[in-house]
Amino acid sequence: MTVIVRDSNGAELKDGDSVTLIKDLKVKGSSIVLKRGTMIKNIRLTDDPAEIECRAEKVKDLVLRTEFVKKA
């Protein structure tokens, strides 16, 4: 059974998609803030349909909640 992962607008996400942040997010464990509108390319899906893995400009391995992104 495949898990369908959806963004904040309900669009289906797949491995390799690009997403945009819809809210400023503070990165735990650092002083970095990812700004709203930041484009994140080449996402990877996880076993949890509410989370995706990605790399941002300043952060190498990052896990984002799908409620804070929209498909680009």
Side-chain angles (χ1 to χ4, degrees):
M1 164 130 183
T2 58
V3 178
I4 296 175
V5 179
R6 299 196 182 275
D7 69 359
S8 61
N9 294 333
E12 189 175 338
L13 296 174
K14 297 187 180 341
D15 277 339
D17 281 349
S18 295
V19 295
T20 305
L21 295 180
I22 61 168
K23 179 180 177 182
D24 287 356
L25 298 175
K26 293 179 183 174
V27 178
K28 281 188 180 179
S30 73
S31 60
I32 296 172
V33 176
L34 296 174
K35 298 289 184 185
R36 188 177 119 206
T38 301
M39 172 80 74
I40 296 177
K41 298 177 182 175
N42 200 15
I43 65 168
R44 293 177 305 280
L45 303 181
T46 63
D47 293 334
D48 185 350
E51 295 179 344
I52 56 172
E53 291 181 349
C54 58
R55 289 185 176 194
E57 306 154 359
K58 305 168 190 169
V59 186
K60 285 193 178 176
D61 292 322
L62 185 64
V63 175
L64 290 177
R65 305 272 308 162
T66 54
E67 62 193 278
F68 299 124
V69 299
K70 67 177 181 179
K71 192 170 183 175

